[in-house]
Amino acid sequence: MRYYLVAGEASGDLHGANLIKALKAQDKDAEFRFFGGDLMQAEGGKPVKHIAEMAFMGFIEVVLNLNTILKNLKFCREDIAAWHPDVVILIDFPGFNLKIADFAKKSGLLVCYYISPKVWAWNQKRVLKIKRIVDHLFCILPFEVDFYKQWGMKVDYVGNPLLDAIAAFRPDETFLASNHLYPQKIVALLPGSRRQEISRLLPEMLGVIEKFPDYQFVIAGAPTFNKAYYDQFTGQKRVPVVFNATYDLLSHADAAIVASGTATLETALFHVPQAVVYKGHPISIGIARAVVKIRFISLVNLIMDSSVVKELIQGDCSVENINTELENILNEKAYRRKMLDNYDLLDKKMGQPGASSRTARLIIKYTLERKA
């Protein structure tokens, strides 16, 4: 069968790659066409549009790049129509993908949405639109099933695909040596994958380095940038940057400073104590605070429904506050132990690997039923 996938950012690229792998295992005649990144390319061939041209975050950032976004939407619609897949699989990235879902549904195509839009956070009435334009929704967070049920919508809970990625991870025994790192006391810096968030967060992260001379700070570089891009922030600090090795970095880290997003959950699943940071355009943040209806922004705290990890947002995201939190994580034994104990509880809530295989099996089932 012919599968058209649309991912627009780094986390979607990861989940899309694992889904392509699972679809290939269950459908030997599978053909793929997709918007995605390097990981999806490794599994399914060259993307028709790379995520490097797609990821814009925040209300103001979207407005400033609206022309590019509209061109990408037009191209995606035309490409889907020309290829005419058996099913369109949309991966997260709701601002873009819900528009593609509307188009695909009106075109008579089967629409599957993998990883629910965060409608539970704000503008919950969007569920009514999702019910109308999405045929099958696959959720990866346990509380989403009950949320959609309240709106009269039946969804499939498939577990979390990060568990698949982590289960498939095999440590690189040469990681430390090949990156010229000494074998202990590493603080991982995960400043995100978008230009806007890196430029706002990395300077604050780097500002604490002098306070911790016994630790080596290492940046997890986004695959869409090169070392020269990070050099403009690190300057004379000589902070190593590793690419395509975030899991290896986390497996050696004593602590981490992490941009809010999927990486916060990955860091927790590797049992690395962390501080979560985020800064956006002031207008974007002001709008978000007016409409968002959730207590937390990090996935760890959202899933646990409690303040497991410290969230330093906007004005609180300062060198001073990051320094204080990192000091607590590294040197306050009871504080560190409590976070790690909560990670154990998180493991139990998350369940077992297999989300990609379960999702692939359901997509194939629903597609075959549609074709029958």
Side-chain angles (χ1 to χ4, degrees), residues 266-333:
E266 291 174 299
T267 302
L269 292 172
F270 271 90
H271 284 227
V272 179
Q274 65 183 299
V276 176
V277 296
Y278 185 75
K279 271 189 176 183
H281 192 286
I283 295 177
S284 296
I285 293 294
I287 294 171
R289 283 176 169 164
V291 298
V292 170
K293 300 179 179 180
I294 53 176
R295 295 166 57 201
F296 307 110
I297 68 164
S298 71
L299 282 173
V300 177
N301 291 346
L302 283 167
I303 293 170
M304 295 296 290
D305 195 29
S306 65
S307 184
V308 173
V309 296
K310 186 76 170 180
E311 298 179 351
L312 300 173
I313 312 303
Q314 209 62 0
D316 291 333
C317 179
S318 65
V319 172
E320 181 181 5
N321 288 341
I322 295 172
N323 179 77
T324 299
E325 183 60 17
L326 191 56
E327 179 74 31
N328 289 336
I329 287 171
L330 291 172
N331 299 321
E332 296 295 330
K333 291 183 179 180

Side-chain angles (χ1 to χ4, degrees), residues 57-65 200 281-285 287:
M57 187 175 187
F59 296 97
I60 298 302
E61 290 81 358
V62 168
V63 171
L64 293 175
N65 292 280
R200 291 189 178 115
H281 192 286
I283 295 177
S284 296
I285 293 294
I287 294 171

Side-chain angles (χ1 to χ4, degrees), residues 209-261:
I209 289 179
E210 286 78 8
K211 302 289 186 180
F212 299 90
D214 294 333
Y215 290 84
Q216 55 185 333
F217 287 71
V218 184
I219 299 169
T224 48
F225 300 103
N226 57 26
K227 187 176 183 301
Y229 174 75
Y230 291 94
D231 286 345
Q232 66 182 305
F233 301 106
T234 57
Q236 300 301 312
K237 287 186 168 67
R238 296 183 180 179
V239 181
V241 184
V242 300
F243 294 93
N244 301 311
T246 300
Y247 284 4
D248 279 299
L249 176 58
L250 289 174
S251 68
H252 288 281
D254 285 70
I257 307 170
V258 188
S260 179

Side-chain angles (χ1 to χ4, degrees), residues 78-297:
E78 291 174 349
D79 199 56
I80 289 173
W83 201 59
H84 201 79
D86 292 298
V87 56
V88 175
I89 305 168
L90 307 169
I91 305 171
D92 203 358
F93 205 51
F96 189 94
N97 273 339
L98 287 177
K99 293 179 176 62
I100 297 302
D102 194 15
F103 165 79
K105 182 71 172 180
K106 289 175 180 175
S107 300
L109 298 171
L110 181 67
V111 179
C112 290
Y113 207 115
Y114 183 36
I115 305 175
S116 164
K118 309 299 188 289
V119 288
W120 35 264
W122 67 284
N123 194 8
Q124 295 185 359
K125 289 186 178 180
R126 285 184 299 165
V127 175
L128 300 176
K129 179 179 181 180
I130 294 172
K131 285 177 67 174
R132 188 176 74 253
I133 64 176
V134 173
D135 294 300
H136 299 285
L137 179 62
F138 306 106
C139 294
I140 65 170
L141 298 174
F143 61 80
E144 291 176 329
V145 176
D146 288 337
F147 168 78
Y148 280 103
K149 187 176 181 180
Q150 293 172 2
W151 287 87
M153 185 175 178
K154 183 179 181 300
V155 301
D156 289 296
Y157 175 65
V158 293
N160 199 292
L162 284 182
L163 297 174
D164 295 8
I166 292 172
F169 166 67
R170 297 294 178 268
D172 178 2
E173 294 182 0
T174 69
F175 171 74
L176 293 175
S178 61
N179 288 284
H180 309 290
L181 305 174
Y182 49 90
Q184 57 186 354
K185 291 193 172 183
I186 289 176
V187 175
L189 304 180
L190 281 67
S193 60
R194 300 178 179 90
R195 189 179 300 274
Q196 297 100 325
E197 59 188 356
I198 294 170
S199 64
R200 291 189 178 115
L201 296 176
L202 189 53
E204 305 291 351
M205 294 179 175
L206 295 170
V208 305
I209 289 179
E210 286 78 8
K211 302 289 186 180
F212 299 90
D214 294 333
Y215 290 84
Q216 55 185 333
F217 287 71
V218 184
I219 299 169
T224 48
F225 300 103
N226 57 26
K227 187 176 183 301
Y229 174 75
Y230 291 94
D231 286 345
Q232 66 182 305
F233 301 106
T234 57
Q236 300 301 312
K237 287 186 168 67
R238 296 183 180 179
V239 181
V241 184
V242 300
F243 294 93
N244 301 311
T246 300
Y247 284 4
D248 279 299
L249 176 58
L250 289 174
S251 68
H252 288 281
D254 285 70
I257 307 170
V258 188
S260 179
T262 304
T264 63
L265 183 53
E266 291 174 299
T267 302
L269 292 172
F270 271 90
H271 284 227
V272 179
Q274 65 183 299
V276 176
V277 296
Y278 185 75
K279 271 189 176 183
H281 192 286
I283 295 177
S284 296
I285 293 294
I287 294 171
R289 283 176 169 164
V291 298
V292 170
K293 300 179 179 180
I294 53 176
R295 295 166 57 201
F296 307 110
I297 68 164

